[in-house]
Amino acid sequence: MFLDQQFKIKDLGTLHFFLGLEVTRSQKDIVLNQRKYALELVSDAGLLAVKPMSSPMDSSIRLAHDQGSPLADAASYRRLIGRLLYLTTTHHDISFAVHHLSQFGSKPIDIHLSAAHRVLHYLKGSLGHGLFFPSSSNLHFRFVTGFCLFIGSSLVSWKSKNKLLYHILHPKQSTVM
């Protein structure tokens, strides 16, 4: 109400789509995904007709800086990796592969691009994956506090405390670790 008095605000209704994130609400949950964004990535790479892969990365392949031919267009590789990094917002299952591939952005080679395309093959089969937030759950909040004491650059002492607050709605049942 205060913001409405200070600024001209238009109520756009229930949130369904924002910055590539799709929001689906029900009485039981909220689901965030980037299905449309992931489909766009697969389409832009010309891989709509490919067979989906069951994993985002081949564990038998070891990527290095000097195992193949340099790419003619390194900028397109960097752009693809950047787009994949944004997709990790809701697709945590590709995080390791994408972050590993991002290490080769300065001088990408053909093997790196093939590995990035494998991530896209995986995405083809997991377009609906996202983040699920149930409306009712046993909430656990963990608080970690601490400090480190240094003399110069040498660690002399440290202390940390870990507290777990169990189920906010039932404070009598909370436990402290």
Side-chain angles (χ1 to χ4, degrees), residues 57 61-64 77 95-104:
M57 193 171 197
I61 294 177
R62 300 286 175 234
L63 299 175
Y77 175 83
S95 290
F96 176 79
V98 173
H99 285 91
H100 187 57
L101 290 169
S102 72
Q103 296 175 19
F104 305 104

Side-chain angles (χ1 to χ4, degrees), residues 1 173 176:
M1 188 69 159
Q173 296 176 3
V176 178

Side-chain angles (χ1 to χ4, degrees), residues 42-168:
V42 174
S43 175
D44 289 352
L47 299 174
L48 278 177
V50 300
K51 182 179 175 184
M53 296 281 191
S54 60
S55 65
M57 193 171 197
D58 185 352
S59 61
S60 66
I61 294 177
R62 300 286 175 234
L63 299 175
H65 290 283
D66 57 355
Q67 292 178 343
S69 305
L71 294 178
D73 185 9
S76 66
Y77 175 83
R78 288 189 284 273
R79 197 169 26 260
L80 173 60
I81 297 303
R83 293 177 75 188
L84 286 169
L85 282 168
Y86 183 65
L87 192 59
T88 63
T89 303
T90 59
H91 261 276
H92 296 147
D93 48 346
I94 65 169
S95 290
F96 176 79
V98 173
H99 285 91
H100 187 57
L101 290 169
S102 72
Q103 296 175 19
F104 305 104
S106 62
K107 292 184 182 176
I109 54 178
D110 54 353
I111 295 171
H112 302 144
L113 184 59
S114 295
H117 281 172
R118 181 183 173 108
V119 174
L120 294 174
H121 283 247
Y122 171 75
L123 286 174
K124 171 98 187 303
S126 62
L127 291 172
H129 287 192
L131 301 177
F132 173 79
F133 300 99
S135 60
S136 64
S137 67
N138 291 335
L139 296 177
H140 291 78
F141 287 93
R142 186 178 299 275
F143 299 93
V144 178
T145 59
F147 64 87
C148 295
L149 181 60
F150 289 89
I151 295 180
S153 61
S154 300
L155 178 65
V156 176
S157 179
W158 69 90
K159 181 174 183 169
S160 68
K161 280 189 171 184
N162 186 1
K163 294 183 180 181
L164 178 70
L165 300 177
Y166 179 75
H167 203 283
I168 292 177

